[in-house]
Amino acid sequence: MQSSLKLVDCIIEVHDARISFSGRNPLFQETLGLKPHVLVLNKMDLADLKEQQKIIQHLEGEGLKNVVFTNCLQDENVKQIIPTVTGLVGSSCRYHRGESLEYCAMVIGIPNVGKSSLINALRRQHLRKGKATRVGGEPGITRAVMSRIQVCERPLMFLLDTPGVLAPRIESVEMGLKLALCGTVLDHLVGEETLADYLLYTLNRHQLFGYVRHYGLGGACDDIASVLKQVAVRLGKTQKVKVLTGTGDVNVIQPNYPAAARDFLQTFRRGLLGPVMLDRDVLQRSPVAEP
């Protein structure tokens, strides 16, 4: 990424709107120098943005003046990106580019936040063309800095897609769990039932009881084993297990807890449990005054 920097006028950092403040790689700022920088908070359709203005103020306090909220799958707000980039580059020093009339931006971010989806959305909007880069619902689809991809004719603009890069050290266990909930690390590295437990804790703490309605539960509950048992039974995700007793083997039907946890996580990630702001605790600690 650093070796490609000399070709680049602007950095477009893509991040998940549900974790607007958590897990952004601090090395990006240090490593990628003083290039103009746009922060795209993607997956806005999955995020609870009731306090969007407060989020923008908080990010401005961190020095991020150019923030765009997008939903790349529905092309929502994607049209704001190219004017933002051209405006920033136009007001910055392009000392290394001579009189070149084309723009080139590098798309960076942690894994699975929608970097490739953003490029494909820009091509749909401005070139009426489809996919130029593979996408997937798990981290690690893009594995190398790709060649330049044209996303616009007027102005002529190219983007470089890059692999997702997590910070080498994650600040806290809770930040790691937030990142995992958003799918930026593979579930089995954390444990699906551990993640489901954190998700249940988060939904209850934010008083988001969409899961009760979705799964037809009797009411809100903070015991993950009890919730997963009800989910497994409701979805028919059970398994026969041999239990050794004093009188010999007995077949017992048990809930398939890992399958229930997987369904709970996938349902959350598809937005079926309602929009969520996982960084609400950071926002509440924010010293930024109300406007």
Side-chain angles (χ1 to χ4, degrees):
M1 286 163 71
Q2 271 184 296
S3 63
S4 303
L5 260 189
K6 57 184 179 293
L7 310 170
V8 168
D9 300 305
C10 179
I11 301 294
I12 300 174
E13 181 183 352
V14 185
H15 199 61
D16 193 310
R18 293 169 293 181
I19 44 172
S20 302
F21 318 116
S22 292
R24 289 178 47 241
N25 192 334
L27 295 179
F28 287 149
Q29 283 295 93
E30 298 165 27
T31 313
L32 300 176
L34 301 170
K35 299 279 180 186
H37 182 199
V38 179
L39 177 63
V40 174
L41 290 172
N42 191 31
K43 307 189 184 185
M44 63 182 283
D45 54 313
L46 303 177
D48 179 357
L49 295 178
K50 286 199 282 285
E51 297 186 280
Q52 185 170 338
Q53 207 47 49
K54 205 172 171 190
I55 293 168
I56 291 168
Q57 284 181 308
H58 185 103
L59 290 166
E60 279 181 352
E62 294 180 2
L64 290 153
K65 302 277 189 281
N66 305 288
V67 179
V68 181
F69 288 86
T70 62
N71 167 9
C72 289
L73 296 182
Q74 303 295 329
D75 294 349
E76 206 173 339
N77 290 357
V78 170
K79 278 199 166 132
Q80 295 179 23
I81 291 170
I82 285 180
T84 303
V85 169
T86 52
L88 273 176
V89 174
S91 61
S92 73
C93 177
R94 297 179 82 192
Y95 54 87
H96 63 303
R97 300 305 314 277
E99 293 304 309
S100 170
L101 295 176
E102 66 180 48
Y103 296 87
C104 185
M106 184 186 282
V107 180
I108 65 170
I110 63 175
N112 200 29
V113 288
K115 296 179 291 299
S116 301
S117 296
L118 173 69
I119 291 174
N120 292 335
L122 286 167
R123 282 171 63 81
R124 278 197 302 274
Q125 290 269 310
H126 298 282
L127 297 177
R128 299 283 177 259
K129 287 185 181 170
K131 289 183 179 179
T133 180
R134 280 179 64 218
V135 297
E138 60 178 50
I141 298 292
T142 307
R143 293 185 176 273
V145 177
M146 295 177 69
S147 54
R148 301 193 320 162
I149 299 165
Q150 186 180 348
V151 291
C152 193
E153 192 70 57
R154 292 196 181 121
L156 183 57
M157 185 175 292
F158 297 87
L159 297 187
L160 289 174
D161 197 7
T162 63
V165 184
L166 272 172
R169 194 174 151 276
I170 291 169
E171 272 177 37
S172 67
V173 171
E174 182 152 23
M175 185 185 284
L177 288 166
K178 287 179 184 178
L179 287 166
L181 262 191
C182 293
T184 64
V185 295
L186 293 166
D187 288 348
H188 71 265
L189 298 176
V190 178
E192 286 162 333
E193 290 173 63
T194 303
L195 265 182
D197 196 5
Y198 179 69
L199 173 57
L200 181 65
Y201 159 75
T202 302
L203 294 173
N204 286 337
R205 188 175 60 162
H206 293 176
Q207 298 191 322
L208 300 168
F209 302 123
Y211 71 93
V212 176
R213 287 188 297 278
H214 182 83
Y215 289 112
L217 308 182
C221 173
D222 59 6
D223 176 21
I224 189 63
S226 170
V227 169
L228 292 182
K229 185 176 183 178
Q230 292 177 74
V231 169
V233 170
R234 185 157 290 274
L235 298 176
K237 293 185 184 293
T238 54
Q239 55 194 0
K240 279 185 179 176
V241 181
K242 273 188 180 175
V243 177
L244 192 62
T245 68
T247 55
D249 291 352
V250 177
N251 283 330
V252 176
I253 293 176
Q254 282 190 347
N256 186 338
Y257 289 102
R262 208 168 299 129
D263 188 88
F264 190 31
L265 293 171
Q266 286 168 354
T267 302
F268 163 73
R269 287 171 184 154
R270 290 201 301 269
L272 300 177
L273 303 182
V276 179
M277 170 50 66
L278 294 172
D279 269 347
R280 189 184 287 178
D281 53 333
V282 183
L283 211 50
Q284 285 165 350
R285 293 198 302 268
S286 169
V288 178
E290 291 292 334

